Each structure stands twice: as C-alpha cells, then as structure tokens.
Amino acid sequence: MHLLVEALAVKSNLAPFVKAFKQVTGFEFERRTGKQLWQRYYYDHVLRPKDDPNGVAWYIWLNPVRAGLCEEPRDYRFVGSLTSLWPAGKRPEEIWSPPKKESGST
C-alpha cells in the first residue's frame, strides 16, 4: 500500500494513524483468511519543499500499471480517490514520467 498524506498541523503524527489502521485492518483480514496482511514495519518518506507531490502521486497511481495489473490507473480495483482526474484517452507516459536523476545524485 502506498499513501500520500499531508499533515494539517505542525504536531501531526503519522505513526499513531498507521498503527491503528494496521491493527484494525490486519485483525479483520487475519480473522477472515487466517493470514497476516501487513509486514511488521512501514517505511515513510517526508517530502521536502522542493519535492513535487504531484510526481509522487503519479508514481503511486502508476504502480499497478507498471506491475501489469491494469492498463490505466483508474482501472485498478484499489485505486485512490483522485484518479478520476486522469485525462481520458491519455497513456500514462503521456501524462507523467519519473524525473531524470542528475548525474552524481542518488
């Protein structure tokens, strides 16, 4: 699962949300299937002011396309809320492609 979230206050804290979300959904999933849903830890990445959140959103939306699960993000069963903004008739690569890494950057 990939999420792009924005803090609404300086004191916002993602950790309690992730913990509660994983507990509730993981418990229900295990009850139904007998299998574990989530890995133990999660990884976050804080965007800096120079980072483009639109690029991150498109990266997330294109994950199922890159994985071959669908041809367009809006066709993916578990797609996020804003994918309805996807322009009709456009291929993913016509709308967004990853920025090129500058030489020497990691």
Side-chain angles (χ1 to χ4, degrees):
M1 174 188 284
H2 288 88
L3 299 172
L4 177 60
V5 296
E6 180 180 11
L8 297 178
V10 173
K11 292 184 177 186
S12 294
N13 188 344
L14 183 64
F17 166 78
V18 171
K19 180 179 179 182
F21 180 79
K22 286 174 68 173
Q23 282 179 337
V24 171
T25 57
F27 177 80
E28 181 62 23
F29 185 83
E30 188 170 351
R31 185 184 69 74
R32 290 183 183 187
T33 67
K35 299 177 183 178
Q36 183 178 338
L37 178 61
W38 303 110
Q39 62 188 25
R40 183 176 176 113
Y41 300 103
Y42 72 94
Y43 304 93
D44 60 9
H45 175 78
V46 177
L47 297 181
R48 305 292 181 229
K50 67 180 176 96
D51 295 332
D52 178 19
N54 291 318
V56 174
W58 281 109
Y59 172 83
I60 292 169
W61 284 333
L62 291 173
N63 276 338
V65 174
R66 285 189 296 272
L69 300 173
C70 59
E71 289 199 26
E72 294 188 14
R74 68 170 155 236
D75 297 334
Y76 186 56
R77 180 178 175 190
F78 304 106
V79 73
S81 61
L82 298 179
T83 310
S84 62
L85 301 175
W86 184 270
K90 294 275 190 174
R91 300 291 311 142
E93 61 275 6
E94 293 177 87
I95 297 167
W96 182 84
S97 61
K100 304 275 189 254
K101 287 188 176 183
E102 296 176 24
S103 65
S105 67
T106 57

